[in-house]
Amino acid sequence: MKEEEKNKKCIFTRESKNNYMSPDSLVKVYQYADCPYVTATAMSYKVRKNKNNWVKISSKEYQNKITNEVKQYDVSSNSRIDNIQSIKRSQARLVHYIRNNYSNPKRLKFHIVLTFKDPVYDYDVAMNYWKSFRDRIRHKYKHIQFIAIFEYYTKGKYKNAIHIHLLLLPLFYHITREVISHYWNYGYVHFKEFNAETATYFVKSNTLHLYPKGKRLYVKSRLIKMPVPKEMKLSTFQKKMENYVCI
């Protein structure tokens, strides 16, 4: 077996533990750029005989292709449970973003932890510090790409305080710890290279209740792209994955 075939892996999960699996069950598959493995999720519904007539037209609205009727998404989060579910969905999207944009072994990438000299517990305060840092560094380095993840400490002296994980693609710029420290003058900088295989490190369940309603788990630059998923029957998926090791 060739070396590249040995590295082909498929991470297979189920949307629900109670999913009934049949050959017609629907599987959503993500293939990542420069990444030797895919992720696949068995959905809780089957392939529909009739195509969905509703299409997304904006972040707030969707439209019926036949009647042209326009409806708005229900984006309200009326309970803590709703907010936690929203953060969990954000975590899943975050893993896809990381695997799709940070897997190229030839591309330099850094994992930078930004902390505060004086602990910050207010999400909006942390976000304002981040925006100030982002604007100043991008004034000098216009084309850097990033994902910034806001995370709460779970224990220790600064329990429930916020810190920021910055996943940075410097591209053709020479970015060092000294450069980041120059622009992040609110606290301390921890600097190391990043491996996309550790993407699930940022999926944690013990801090979900700390995120305020409607606040983002992460922010990203415009050119950080989400992979486009493909939906197929389970029977088709199994044939395509014959040369993959499913885990």
Side-chain angles (χ1 to χ4, degrees), residues 25 35 48 69 94 233 247:
S25 294
C35 187
R48 301 180 181 90
E69 179 184 4
L94 174 62
K233 291 182 179 181
I247 57 177

Side-chain angles (χ1 to χ4, degrees), residues 91-200:
Q91 287 181 328
R93 289 193 297 271
L94 174 62
V95 171
H96 291 314
Y97 276 124
I98 293 173
R99 287 175 174 161
N100 197 52
N101 295 273
Y102 292 80
S103 293
N104 188 335
K106 297 181 181 180
R107 174 179 284 180
L108 189 63
K109 41 200 173 289
F110 296 117
H111 175 193
I112 304 166
V113 183
L114 306 174
T115 63
F116 298 94
K117 183 177 181 181
D118 298 313
V120 172
Y121 298 90
D122 187 295
Y123 180 97
D124 290 330
V125 172
M127 177 60 79
N128 287 336
Y129 280 127
W130 158 255
K131 287 180 178 178
S132 176
F133 164 79
R134 177 202 62 194
D135 292 345
R136 289 189 296 116
I137 196 169
R138 295 197 78 179
H139 181 74
K140 174 71 173 179
Y141 304 98
K142 298 183 184 299
H143 302 291
I144 57 172
Q145 301 300 318
F146 62 82
I147 300 175
I149 305 156
F150 295 79
E151 192 174 77
Y152 291 86
Y153 288 113
T154 58
K155 56 186 177 181
K157 182 179 179 180
Y158 301 122
K159 183 178 180 180
N160 296 344
I162 297 172
H163 58 288
I164 301 171
H165 293 273
L166 174 60
L167 306 183
L168 183 69
L169 293 175
L171 302 181
F172 45 81
Y173 297 116
H174 181 61
I175 302 291
T176 63
R177 183 183 183 280
E178 289 69 31
V179 169
I180 300 298
S181 297
H182 173 74
Y183 292 98
W184 182 260
N185 47 21
Y186 314 113
Y188 308 102
V189 172
H190 306 274
F191 200 93
K192 57 184 178 182
E193 290 193 23
F194 179 62
N195 187 335
E197 291 186 6
T198 63
T200 54

